[in-house]
């Protein structure tokens, strides 16, 4: 089967399969502070690491249909900082609740039953109970094409300047992903959890 993006319905797909084929995707749980210091938290599954020396992460933000940017992007750009917490299986429902569209300046943590923890290098809070937190210094935003005139697509990059790892996830000096259990986003409303792994040595 071959089709051009946007024509999936002509090929029998009920929904655009793009996100289902780019899966699993890690979820960056992005916390920021607004201009008054109010915390903001939202999950982003257009999220990944892009290089390691120094470590840099990105999240992709599709703007709102009224043309405004989402709060995570606005706050990261204005404050120059964000924290990325990693969602464990135990916090999957809390994560989902924080995707609610609250007005700018409203904190998603309390209604989702979450508490913030102070960070070490930046001001935005970490999510208490998350196994890993990446404290990030905002680097730049890059605008992507967008099919819709009233919306914008952006990628926001940040350099990781501090890393917290829950010690229960570390075994013999290595992160044990089976203890860490990061939740991944699949297509549609589906998610996955890492429950088994295999290793392969590189040829050279
Ligand atoms: C698992 C999950 C992943 C999401 N990933 C993205 C994403 O990559 N980009 C995006 O723009 N919105 C994504 N969303 C939707 C945002 O979380 C949602 O629009 C949120 O209200 C944005 O909040 P903010 O304005 O506080 O940043 C995702 C939602 C969920 C539940």
């Amino acid at each position: 089967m071959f089709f051009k993006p946007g024509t999936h319905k002509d090929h029998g797909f009920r929904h655009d399969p793009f996100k289902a084929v780019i899966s699993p995707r890690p979820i960056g749980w992005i916390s920021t502070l607004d201009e008054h210091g109010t915390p903001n938290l939202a999950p982003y599954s257009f999220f990944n690491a892009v290089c390691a020396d120094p470590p840099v992460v990105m999240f992709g933000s599709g703007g709102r249909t009224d043309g405004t940017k989402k709060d995570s992007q606005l706050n990261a750009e204005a404050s120059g900082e964000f924290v990325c917490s990693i969602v464990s299986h135990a916090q999957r429902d809390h994560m989902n609740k924080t995707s609610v569209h609250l007005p700018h300046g409203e904190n998603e943590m309390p209604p989702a039953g979450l508490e913030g923890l102070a960070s070490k290098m930046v001001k935005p809070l970490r999510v208490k109970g998350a196994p890993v937190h990446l404290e990030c210094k905002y680097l730049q935003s890059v605008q992507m094409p967008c099919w819709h005139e009233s919306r914008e697509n952006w990628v926001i990059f940040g350099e990781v300047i501090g890393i917290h790892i829950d010690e229960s996830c570390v075994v013999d000096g290595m992160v044990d992903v089976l203890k860490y259990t990061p939740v991944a986003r699949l297509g549609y409303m589906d998610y996955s959890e890492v429950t088994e792994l295999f290793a392969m040595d590189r040829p050279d």
Side-chain angles (χ1 to χ4, degrees):
M1 181 186 299
F2 169 82
F3 60 96
K4 291 189 175 168
T7 68
H8 53 275
K9 290 213 166 124
D10 303 338
H11 297 268
F13 288 106
R14 285 190 279 150
H15 304 283
D16 187 342
F18 176 66
K19 289 189 265 187
V21 296
I22 310 294
S23 69
R25 280 169 286 121
I27 301 172
W29 214 359
I30 307 297
S31 52
T32 51
L33 292 182
D34 77 1
E35 63 279 16
H36 304 294
T38 306
N40 189 87
L41 177 67
Y44 285 79
S45 64
F46 288 141
F47 166 75
N48 222 310
V50 294
C51 58
D53 49 355
V56 172
V57 293
M58 53 68 62
F59 64 96
S61 182
R64 301 192 185 285
T65 47
D66 64 2
T68 58
K69 292 176 178 172
K70 290 185 177 174
D71 290 337
S72 304
Q73 177 180 6
L74 280 175
N75 294 346
E77 290 174 347
S79 69
E81 299 179 332
F82 64 92
V83 172
C84 166
S85 297
I86 301 294
V87 182
S88 69
H89 191 251
Q91 288 188 314
R92 63 195 182 283
D93 290 326
H94 300 83
M95 174 281 295
N96 200 27
K97 285 183 183 156
T98 63
S99 69
V100 65
H101 294 160
L102 292 184
H104 181 75
E106 286 192 28
N107 183 357
E108 289 85 359
M109 284 193 193
L114 293 165
E115 284 177 48
L117 292 174
S119 297
K120 284 198 187 301
M121 314 280 287
V122 298
K123 292 200 184 72
L125 302 176
R126 301 176 286 140
V127 177
K128 186 175 178 183
V132 167
H133 311 98
L134 308 174
E135 299 189 10
C136 299
K137 184 179 72 175
Y138 168 79
L139 290 175
Q140 62 170 306
S141 303
V142 178
Q143 189 165 12
M144 295 291 123
C146 185
W147 282 341
H148 312 283
E149 258 180 38
S150 60
R151 283 189 42 222
E152 292 177 351
N153 289 322
W154 289 87
V155 183
I156 297 93
F157 293 89
E159 180 178 338
V160 179
I161 58 168
I163 302 176
H164 304 254
I165 301 180
D166 189 309
E167 279 164 34
S168 67
C169 303
V170 182
V171 178
D172 288 339
M174 311 258 278
V175 171
D176 183 335
V177 76
L178 300 181
K179 294 188 185 297
Y180 175 31
T181 66
V183 168
R185 187 80 168 98
L186 308 177
Y188 316 113
M189 291 297 120
D190 297 337
Y191 294 84
S192 178
E193 179 196 6
V194 180
T195 54
E196 53 183 81
L197 56 88
F198 58 89
M200 288 197 292
D201 287 331
R202 296 212 187 162
D204 52 0

